[in-house]
Amino acid sequence: MWDDAFASFLIGLREGLEAGLIVSVLVATLVRADAKSRLPQVWTGVLAAIALSMSFGAVLTFTAASLSTAVQEAFGGALSIVAVAFVTAMVFWMRRSARSLAGEIKEKVTEALTMGAGVLVLTSFLAVGREGLETALFLWTTARAADESAGPLTGAGIGLVLAAVLCWGLYRRVLSINLTRFFTATGAVLIVIAAGVLGYGLRDLQEGGVLPGGTAYAVDLSGSVDAGAWYSTLLQGVLNLTPTMTWLQVVGYVGYLGVVMTLFVRGVRGVVPAPSATPPMPVPQAPTRPTSASVHPRPAWLIPVAVVAVPAILAGLVVVLARPKPAGGETVAVSAKDCGQGFTAPKPGRQTFQMRNTGDQTSEVYLIDPATNAVYGEIEGLAPGTTRDLVATVAGGTYAWRCVPADGKAVTSKAVRVTGAAGAGAVVPVSEQDLAGPLRAYKAYVNRGLATLVTETRKLGDDIRAGHLDTARADWLTAHRTYASVGAAYGTFEDFDQKINGRPDGLPGGVHDKDFTGFERIEYGLWHGQSAGELKGPAHQLADTAAGLLKAFPHQDFDASDLPLRAHEILENTLQFELTGDTDQGGGTGLATADANLAGTRELLTVLRPLLTTRAPHLLPAVDADIARLQALLDAEHRDGRWTPVDRLGRTAKARIDGATGQLLEDLSPVPDLLEIRKSA
């Protein structure tokens, strides 16, 4: 969080100090001009500026959330570039104006004192409002870049509080700050940060389809740099530098930094050195107060409440109007009898459909292209009498609803036609027939693996009976890795899996319980000094169970829908058990097992590749890169035939392996949804 807070802290400090200096000069001018009665007008303007800035931030946040993913990327990228432009202009303006700021504001206040309350309110509002809007925009872009708001908001809050303290000290003349040097130093740092925001914004525009070159990478260090390491987090949080950057990002980053920093440094060299301390607040002569006609007094609270309420109400209206509306403003029925009733041709764009189950059975409902059965959106488990929203992006094409009651036949509604350009995002559903080929291929792979397992467990038993325990340790690892590599079939093995790879957790006697069997039982004995005689029984039982599994497997029920699920679950279990050392019974072979699990995942993706390529062409390249990165990290811990135990990994190496596994899991997470078997009409 703190890595993402620094940039926001700096912007909060700078903008807060700018706005605070203006307010301090306003207040000091009025106090010393014997016009304290006009102070509420200053604070009203300040309050209005704060309310406007917060409302602006809320509008950015909530309107962006209602956009489609591609439009969100484009919207965020455009605002990032606007934020860079504002910050750049602010840096140069403050570099020029720091020395003469107090005098300029004093002149404006003196003029405002002679022109009525409204002008003074407007003066303070405009002076503070500009800084507030810039701060809100920059905070929104940095929070979006960090993919979280706690760090940026915390940093900005600390910066604003510190700025308020500094301004109070300047006002009370207990502090002395060289403003020219301060704004010059922070300006240089902000230019570097703004270069990163520009690079991030350009990447967003590429991902949103506005700019080309989204796959043309100038830098790709994902295989050698751990994105979760502290230094990666620091660089990304402060400078928005990532392990992978496109050519456009690099050119934009380097070009902006080179041009703007050069102009900034040249301008600094041409500035006459400022005094070493902040000049004292000006003390103007009290202006002649105009005589005012008798007016009806208004409540003192009316204007402050109004200046806060009006921006908040306007922001709320913008957010409400920007939210996606239910298509046609009607509820769509879901049931075997009324499927799609109330559905009219929606307008292109992001749409929210209110789906109400009017039947007496829990149902699933899909928004589909009836010509191809491609699915645009779905709701599962919609209970009778309930209503839920289904959000989908509508483009040119044909649309219909498919309602699937729990115990009934699927029903497809009448189709409607939407005019406009064709869009993407629909997923062609998978049938059991589609998965039949991959299932046969994977079952053949498992059969070969189990045949090898039988041979290897018999050799392990022979080693133990002969008393060759050193050889048995090596053969144990070979056999265990073979079993781990057929991970997608675990759910099919029934009771065999518990006997082959059961854990002592939950057994009354723990590792000494008579029901503790299989690989982990033998591992415990081999690495805890048990004799060959004590291990003969468990080894013989393991070999017999492996042979029994090989014989039973062809007749076991292997559900085709398990294949897509296992693509994610194998490595999920790896991260939970092997990479925490939870399953280690003394052998220190958690990474070796993780490597075998990765091999099993790779084999599973090989048989699923044809289905995934047509449904998510960009998914597999990312997954392949993730697998290569994790494989390289695991290989680095396999030296001279020995694997580094998990508990002996260095902190950096452990973080890299965990981070790479987590990234691979994240990229694999869409596979179950992409290859889910859906009931058709």
Side-chain angles (χ1 to χ4, degrees):
M1 181 181 79
W2 299 112
D3 301 309
D4 297 319
F6 176 73
S8 298
F9 164 77
L10 190 61
I11 203 72
L13 177 61
R14 269 190 64 102
E15 298 280 11
L17 191 55
E18 286 183 38
L21 285 172
I22 294 171
V23 173
S24 297
V25 174
L26 286 170
V27 172
T29 303
L30 291 173
V31 170
R32 293 166 191 171
D34 195 24
K36 290 184 179 180
S37 61
R38 309 290 294 274
L39 285 177
Q41 298 165 16
V42 174
W43 297 121
T44 298
V46 171
L47 195 62
I50 293 173
L52 178 65
S53 303
M54 295 180 68
S55 300
F56 178 58
V59 168
L60 290 177
T61 300
F62 291 108
T63 54
S66 67
L67 302 174
S68 65
T69 302
V71 177
Q72 280 188 42
E73 299 291 351
F75 181 67
L79 286 185
S80 295
I81 293 175
V82 172
V84 170
F86 280 160
V87 169
T88 305
M90 174 265 292
V91 165
F92 281 90
W93 177 81
M94 203 59 192
R95 187 201 65 198
R96 294 191 305 267
S97 304
R99 297 176 64 250
S100 59
L101 182 66
E104 292 177 1
I105 297 174
K106 171 254 184 182
E107 293 178 3
K108 292 180 180 179
V109 175
T110 302
E111 294 175 2
L113 283 172
T114 64
M115 298 178 67
V119 176
L120 190 56
V121 171
L122 184 63
T123 300
S124 59
F125 171 77
L126 293 177
V128 179
R130 187 191 67 174
E131 319 303 335
L133 291 175
E134 289 178 357
T135 303
L137 179 58
F138 194 85
L139 279 180
W140 185 84
T141 56
T142 53
R144 191 173 186 277
D147 200 25
E148 59 101 8
S149 58
L153 289 179
T154 301
I158 295 174
L160 290 170
V161 170
L162 180 57
V165 172
L166 292 176
C167 289
W168 178 86
L170 292 173
Y171 174 77
R172 304 295 297 180
R173 298 189 179 189
V174 297
L175 285 178
S176 178
I177 298 176
N178 188 318
L179 294 179
T180 301
R181 291 181 179 176
F182 173 82
F183 285 113
T184 298
T186 56
V189 177
L190 272 180
I191 289 173
V192 177
I193 293 173
V197 174
L198 175 62
Y200 178 84
L202 292 174
R203 180 58 177 163
D204 271 355
L205 290 175
Q206 288 179 315
E207 292 180 348
V210 177
L211 295 177
T215 58
Y217 292 105
V219 179
D220 188 357
L221 304 176
S222 58
S224 55
V225 175
D226 179 20
W230 66 268
Y231 53 85
S232 297
T233 306
L234 182 65
L235 287 174
Q236 186 166 344
V238 177
L239 304 179
N240 272 304
L241 293 176
T242 58
T244 57
M245 296 183 71
T246 64
W247 279 106
L248 182 60
Q249 283 183 280
V250 172
V251 171
Y253 184 95
V254 174
Y256 172 87
L257 192 59
V259 172
V260 176
M261 188 65 79
T262 299
L263 294 175
F264 184 78
V265 172
R266 286 180 180 176
V268 169
R269 290 175 179 172
V271 172
V272 178
S276 60
T278 309
M281 296 292 181
V283 185
Q285 297 297 321
T288 304
R289 299 183 184 180
T291 58
S292 57
S294 176
V295 295
H296 296 289
R298 63 171 62 92
W301 53 266
L302 182 60
I303 294 180
V305 170
V307 299
V308 173
V310 170
I313 292 172
L314 292 176
L317 290 174
V318 171
V319 171
V320 170
L321 292 174
R323 291 186 61 188
K325 304 298 187 300
E330 297 177 348
T331 299
V332 181
V334 178
S335 71
K337 180 181 178 182
D338 303 324
C339 185
Q341 191 176 85
F343 180 49
T344 57
K347 295 180 180 179
R350 191 77 163 172
Q351 299 289 352
T352 299
F353 302 93
Q354 294 179 343
M355 311 306 300
R356 180 167 181 79
N357 189 339
T358 58
D360 56 3
Q361 294 186 51
T362 298
S363 298
E364 297 178 1
V365 60
Y366 307 107
L367 179 62
I368 65 168
D369 179 347
T372 63
N373 288 324
V375 177
Y376 293 95
E378 64 182 300
I379 293 178
E380 296 182 350
L382 184 62
T386 60
T387 302
R388 283 160 58 185
D389 287 349
L390 187 152
V391 181
T393 300
V394 175
T398 306
Y399 295 83
W401 294 102
R402 177 160 294 157
C403 306
V404 188
D407 298 320
K409 184 180 179 181
V411 177
T412 302
S413 73
K414 180 181 178 181
V416 299
R417 180 75 185 173
V418 176
T419 58
V427 177
V428 178
V430 174
S431 66
E432 290 191 27
Q433 185 61 35
D434 293 327
L435 284 172
L439 182 59
R440 283 193 300 271
Y442 196 79
K443 288 179 74 172
Y445 164 77
V446 173
N447 264 318
R448 293 192 298 272
L450 293 180
T452 302
L453 178 68
V454 170
T455 301
E456 291 171 348
T457 53
R458 285 174 178 168
K459 187 175 185 305
L460 173 61
D462 292 342
D463 294 336
I464 291 176
R465 281 192 296 274
H468 301 151
L469 298 187
D470 287 338
T471 305
R473 293 186 184 94
D475 288 341
W476 175 89
L477 180 57
T478 300
H480 189 241
R481 280 168 51 82
T482 297
Y483 185 73
S485 66
V486 297
Y490 289 166
T492 306
F493 291 164
E494 299 171 352
D495 294 338
F496 288 99
D497 182 55
Q498 180 62 30
K499 295 176 181 177
I500 291 175
N501 209 36
R503 300 168 61 196
D505 302 8
L507 297 177
V511 294
H512 303 292
D513 197 282
K514 62 181 179 61
D515 292 327
F516 181 33
T517 61
F519 278 112
E520 291 196 22
R521 166 66 183 91
I522 297 173
E523 178 187 11
Y524 178 83
L526 287 173
W527 275 274
H528 284 83
Q530 290 188 350
S531 66
E534 293 175 284
L535 294 174
K536 284 181 182 179
H540 178 73
Q541 183 180 5
L542 175 62
D544 284 350
T545 305
L549 176 57
L550 175 62
K551 182 178 180 180
F553 179 69
H555 310 289
Q556 291 177 326
D557 183 20
F558 198 146
D559 191 341
S561 63
D562 282 350
L563 287 180
L565 292 173
R566 298 293 185 266
H568 185 268
E569 289 179 353
I570 296 173
L571 290 176
E572 196 172 57
N573 289 337
T574 301
L575 188 63
Q576 182 179 359
F577 299 116
E578 273 70 41
L579 295 183
T580 60
D582 190 62
T583 55
D584 187 5
Q585 299 298 330
T589 57
L591 293 185
T593 305
D595 180 73
N597 288 338
L598 184 61
T601 301
R602 188 185 290 110
E603 180 66 28
L604 180 58
L605 290 173
T606 298
V607 302
L608 295 176
R609 186 172 293 268
L611 296 175
L612 290 171
T613 300
T614 57
R615 288 165 174 80
H618 301 298
L619 183 146
L620 285 174
V623 168
D624 290 341
D626 293 341
I627 290 176
R629 177 187 176 204
L630 179 55
Q631 187 67 67
L633 293 171
L634 292 174
D635 289 345
E637 302 303 327
H638 186 206
R639 308 180 188 92
D640 301 324
R642 295 179 179 273
W643 292 87
T644 304
V646 171
D647 60 359
R648 295 183 188 176
L649 283 172
R651 181 177 299 178
T652 300
K654 179 68 164 60
R656 285 180 174 177
I657 292 173
D658 288 347
T661 306
Q663 183 61 55
L664 177 54
L665 278 170
E666 182 176 339
D667 288 340
L668 284 173
S669 60
V671 172
D673 288 334
L674 289 170
L675 302 184
E676 179 184 356
I677 297 176
R678 294 178 171 92
K679 187 176 180 181
S680 60

